[in-house]
Amino acid sequence: MAMRMRTYGHRLRALLSNSLSKVEHQSQQLLVSSSPFHSFPTRSFASSNLSSHFESVGFIGLGNMGSRMANNLLKAGYKVTVHDVNCNVMKIYSDMGVSTKQTPFEVAEASEVVITMLPSSSHVLEVYNGPNGLLHGGSLRTPRLLIDSSTIDPQTSRKLSVSVSNCTLKDTKDNWESPLMLDAPVSGGVVAAEAGTLTFMVGGSEDAYLAAKSLLLSMGKNAIFCGGPGTGSAAKICNNLAVAVSMLGVSEALALGQSLGITASTLTKIFNCSSARCWSSDSYNPVPGVMPGVPSSRNYSGGFASKLMAKDLNLAAASAEEVGVKSPLTFLAQNIYAEICENGHESEDFSCVFHHYYSGKGEPN
């Protein structure tokens, strides 16, 4: 079976590359609340040797990230079943010979594992708990494992983990006594999703993480266990908070340098061989003309949209308030990116803050 699936994956490789640009332009629109941080207990299981042998994988949410992740699963030889509310995307996959289903519940019935990659907490709740959702129809479940790679609040991840673990498997085998859930958001963006070099931040049962690791590594280069349910989501929020604050600091310093008569290229060279060096300066520079191949070099298109950064900062701010942690930079960054979006730049890469907030200039040709 594994050899047949690998052969199937190779046959799909050419079709996937031809269809990827079409999928890229389809919106990720999948469609319900968050609650306070509470440490839900992690259920214990009779055996730590959960089988990692999965063949059938469901994938829900085929936007810019999800489509590329699903494509890498196909290339790795998995039997993939997909669902998205966008009919055009569904047709692309159907035309490639990939099984498509009309509801999340139908995907669950056909899959040992289901992965979701959705825009927000409300979309995830709808896909899990809504009519014909993954948990529809009572406690009996087909998938042994549910993995949510969306960037959502940790509270929702914890609630869903409890709901999933309270279900019962239709067919218990390979030491799986009940279904499990992992929150496994990713870092790396569209480029890493396409290249299969994402980093997964994983929360949930460590046994489930170990069972899922090879599956995750078919879509990424790193899978890091963070702790119990919700910790993967928490790690992603903290990561994006740090990136946002870093981008603001680098942009502010470069804009100030320009005003003081130092070119951004010169100041970037100084940053990158001194203590100011960071990803926002040496890998994702926000100044047009300083670095090729990044969004600032193409009018801030094709990167991580400012509206998504604003959403993640909202999650970070809400989480900080919930646990009573002082986070002044979180709230400042939140306000700045809210202003960027209100001024009509929500679809531009978040590095556009250099130009639209700090009024920085591109490098002269």
Side-chain angles (χ1 to χ4, degrees), residues 123-284:
H123 296 90
V124 174
L125 285 166
E126 178 69 14
V127 164
Y128 272 78
N129 296 332
N132 295 310
L134 293 172
L135 303 184
H136 170 73
S139 63
L140 290 178
R141 299 290 95 217
T142 298
R144 287 177 277 165
L145 182 60
L146 299 166
I147 302 173
D148 180 41
S149 288
S150 316
T151 299
I152 65 173
D153 61 283
Q155 305 97 315
T156 296
S157 295
R158 292 184 173 110
K159 276 188 166 183
L160 288 175
S161 179
V162 171
S163 296
V164 170
S165 63
N166 284 335
C167 294
T168 303
L169 285 171
K170 287 183 179 179
D171 180 17
T172 58
K173 62 180 182 178
D174 297 331
N175 295 324
W176 290 80
E177 296 179 356
S178 67
L180 297 174
M181 179 183 176
L182 295 172
D183 47 287
V186 301
S187 179
V190 172
V191 172
E194 183 165 5
T197 57
L198 292 167
T199 291
F200 287 85
M201 296 157 267
V202 187
S205 157
E206 187 170 9
D207 294 344
Y209 158 75
L210 292 173
K213 191 170 183 180
S214 61
L215 174 67
L216 298 176
L217 292 179
S218 69
M219 300 175 284
K221 65 177 181 179
N222 296 302
I224 301 172
F225 182 65
C226 300
T231 57
S233 295
K236 177 60 186 291
I237 290 172
C238 293
N239 181 80
N240 280 20
L241 167 61
V243 169
V245 172
S246 168
M247 183 58 72
L248 291 173
V250 167
S251 296
E252 187 169 311
L254 290 170
L256 175 61
Q258 287 181 335
S259 297
L260 296 175
I262 310 171
T263 67
S265 295
T266 299
L267 199 50
T268 294
K269 289 178 183 177
I270 294 169
F271 286 179
N272 291 346
C273 64
S274 65
S275 56
R277 183 175 187 174
C278 63
W279 181 81
S280 296
S281 70
D282 72 1
S283 299
Y284 212 80

Side-chain angles (χ1 to χ4, degrees), residues 54 56-60 73 81 104-117 127-128 134 142-149 180-182 215:
F54 303 118
S56 57
V57 182
F59 205 104
I60 300 174
L73 289 173
T81 300
F105 180 72
E106 291 175 356
V107 172
E109 289 290 282
S111 308
E112 296 173 293
V113 184
V114 176
I115 301 170
T116 49
M117 186 55 151
V127 164
Y128 272 78
L134 293 172
T142 298
R144 287 177 277 165
L145 182 60
L146 299 166
I147 302 173
D148 180 41
S149 288
L180 297 174
M181 179 183 176
L182 295 172
L215 174 67

